[in-house]
Amino acid sequence: MVDLDSALSISQTNCLPLCLVPRTNRPTRALLLGNPVLQLPRGKLSGNCYGLFRASLTRNCTKMRLSRAEHKDIVRCTEHLRPTRQCMKILKDRFPNHSQSTLLSIFSLEYQKRTKKTISRHHAPDVIERHYQRYLSAAKAHPTAPVLLELANEVDLSPALMARVILDRYLQDPQGAVPSKPVLNSMLKEPSLIPDQTLAKHIYQCTINDCCYGPLVDCIKHAIGQEHEVLLCDRLKERNLSFLDENQLRAMGYDKTPDIILEVPIVVEGHIVHWIESKASFGDDQSHCTYLTEQFWSYCN
């Protein structure tokens, strides 16, 4: 949680790695580059870890402050946007003082929250059939138009997720048997494998125009995460800090590990730091709490 009167300090980069600091009840500076923290106030959590801090790994990046009021303004602006290329232009025009990578991180997080609340209704059998029949009619009438992309925007569903729904329905046999996930995923990654070339074109249009979901986005996110883990290791080596990375820890038999464990703990402004977890995403209150529950508390053992 962030104190409502405080401001978030973020880097103008898509990478916002996170670390836990034992027994922190005031803002502290990050281990590597000194960015101020998101403060977790006492009374909200039990245990011996209260502070989260960020460390940006991008060199010579331009830093600025994003106030809570500004963050709320950006979130409100994203409420009616769709995950298309045009939405980023709208955000950049509205908030010119913030980088596109920062705005994309915030929008992506907010859109994923929105999708989780509504995705189930798009998977109801009658809704799937209605979407599919609407697509068939539109594709027959306007085969060269981006009808599947337009349908996704009309019903407020991610283009890539709509593409998955329609392709899954297309691949069903007359008895209603669903295709295997490997077959479905391979066609989403390589639409030329789809026998119907008109559908293949529409699937491709949805994939390349979705900035939040789909195989292209997954590949980019994975690459960013891997890149910044390498940058983290490089920065630690530059400071002659002895550490074990995730691969080394798994080889030693650990099944759930942070990205880095420091073999010799260090002290940051009086607080002992044992380990570092890197996250290439925007960290708001909800995501911090989710990571605490699903990952960070287990690291404190």
Side-chain angles (χ1 to χ4, degrees), residues 61 111 161 163 278:
C61 60
Y111 187 78
L161 295 183
S278 172

Short mmCIF file of all heavy atoms in Angstrom, two decimals, residues 61 111 161 163 278:
data_model
loop_
_atom_site.label_atom_id
_atom_site.label_comp_id
_atom_site.label_asym_id
_atom_site.label_seq_id
_atom_site.Cartn_x
_atom_site.Cartn_y
_atom_site.Cartn_z
N CYS A 61 18.37 6.45 -17.32
CA CYS A 61 16.98 6.69 -17.63
C CYS A 61 16.52 7.99 -16.97
O CYS A 61 17.06 8.40 -15.96
CB CYS A 61 16.10 5.53 -17.15
SG CYS A 61 16.20 5.22 -15.39
N TYR A 111 -6.20 -2.94 -17.73
CA TYR A 111 -7.04 -3.68 -18.67
C TYR A 111 -7.13 -5.16 -18.28
O TYR A 111 -8.20 -5.78 -18.41
CB TYR A 111 -6.52 -3.55 -20.10
CG TYR A 111 -7.46 -4.16 -21.11
CD1 TYR A 111 -8.62 -3.47 -21.50
CD2 TYR A 111 -7.22 -5.42 -21.64
CE1 TYR A 111 -9.50 -4.04 -22.40
CE2 TYR A 111 -8.11 -5.99 -22.53
CZ TYR A 111 -9.24 -5.29 -22.91
OH TYR A 111 -10.13 -5.86 -23.79
N LEU A 161 -7.76 -12.31 -27.35
CA LEU A 161 -8.64 -13.27 -26.69
C LEU A 161 -9.84 -13.59 -27.57
O LEU A 161 -10.30 -14.74 -27.60
CB LEU A 161 -9.10 -12.72 -25.34
CG LEU A 161 -8.00 -12.51 -24.29
CD1 LEU A 161 -8.60 -12.03 -22.98
CD2 LEU A 161 -7.20 -13.79 -24.07
N ALA A 163 -9.73 -13.58 -30.83
CA ALA A 163 -9.17 -14.46 -31.86
C ALA A 163 -9.10 -15.89 -31.36
O ALA A 163 -9.41 -16.84 -32.09
CB ALA A 163 -7.77 -13.97 -32.25
N SER A 278 12.79 -9.48 -9.24
CA SER A 278 12.63 -8.51 -10.32
C SER A 278 11.29 -8.74 -11.02
O SER A 278 10.94 -9.86 -11.36
CB SER A 278 13.78 -8.67 -11.33
OG SER A 278 13.56 -7.88 -12.48
#
